[in-house]
Amino acid sequence: AQPLCEIGHLLGFRTVVIDDRWAFANRERFPHATDIRVGAFEETLNSLDINEHSYVVVVTRGHVWDETSVKAVLRRNPAYVGMIGSKRRAKTTLERLGEQGYSPAELSRIHTPLGLDIAAETPAEIAVAIAAELIRARRGGSLETLSLSVKARPSGPFKFTGN
């Protein structure tokens, strides 16, 4: 969450950090956050003005809080809802939400696992992948590369002749 908050700040997002623990949600850890709130996830999220202009990224310490947080914001129609987690955990959570009455259309709005697939491994790289997905959602971008050389590559194997 720390690198994502910093990148979000650089990208012009109003970043609000929420955690139920003072030791993790504080100005020392998140100097670039617009706002820091400490409290129960559902209650704190419900206190925010989340609307069609909001981008919500859920990166809590456990799937119970992830699910609670997604449920607190999904029907408020934010522009983006993303939830971190493995593919297995994401699938399980989506299935559970479906069983609780969330429609396929609502579930399709949840970006999980979140981030673009750039083979990110470190927290900073994962933050870049998430930020890239946020930019794509905000600007309506595609998943295509901008690289002309990549686009010009033949679809078959390369055949080299000569030296």
Side-chain angles (χ1 to χ4, degrees):
Q2 288 173 298
L4 182 59
C5 183
E6 188 169 344
I7 292 169
H9 170 75
L10 291 171
L11 296 173
F13 285 98
R14 180 180 172 269
T15 56
V16 179
V17 174
I18 299 170
D19 201 303
D20 58 355
R21 303 163 296 173
W22 287 102
F24 290 90
N26 59 63
R27 191 59 60 191
E28 286 179 28
R29 289 177 52 94
F30 295 97
H32 299 291
T34 305
D35 191 7
I36 298 173
R37 308 264 179 116
V38 177
F41 292 107
E42 182 177 14
E43 179 182 307
T44 306
L45 286 164
N46 286 334
S47 74
L48 297 174
D49 180 26
I50 295 172
N51 56 49
E52 68 276 3
H53 303 291
S54 304
Y55 293 76
V56 180
V57 176
V58 177
V59 289
T60 73
R61 67 183 179 279
H63 67 277
V64 172
W65 292 279
D66 291 340
E67 187 174 319
T68 297
S69 299
V70 167
K71 287 168 36 176
V73 301
L74 187 58
R75 291 195 168 145
R76 293 163 70 187
N77 295 315
Y80 176 95
V81 178
M83 182 181 73
I84 202 160
S86 67
K87 288 180 183 179
R88 182 182 61 78
R89 190 170 109 186
K91 183 178 182 278
T92 301
T93 300
L94 291 173
E95 288 171 352
R96 196 169 30 255
L97 290 172
E99 292 166 1
Q100 294 172 18
Y102 287 85
S103 72
E106 289 172 315
L107 297 177
S108 72
R109 295 184 56 238
I110 304 169
H111 297 258
T112 187
L114 50 86
L116 299 184
D117 185 1
I118 60 171
E121 292 184 9
T122 68
E125 290 173 344
I126 293 167
V128 168
I130 295 168
E133 187 171 77
L134 290 170
I135 294 167
R136 186 190 63 177
R138 179 168 65 177
R139 304 286 187 215
S142 70
L143 291 176
E144 289 188 41
T145 182
L146 298 175
S147 172
L148 294 177
S149 63
V150 170
K151 290 180 178 182
R153 288 181 188 157
S155 58
F158 287 102
K159 294 185 180 181
F160 295 97
T161 59
N163 301 1

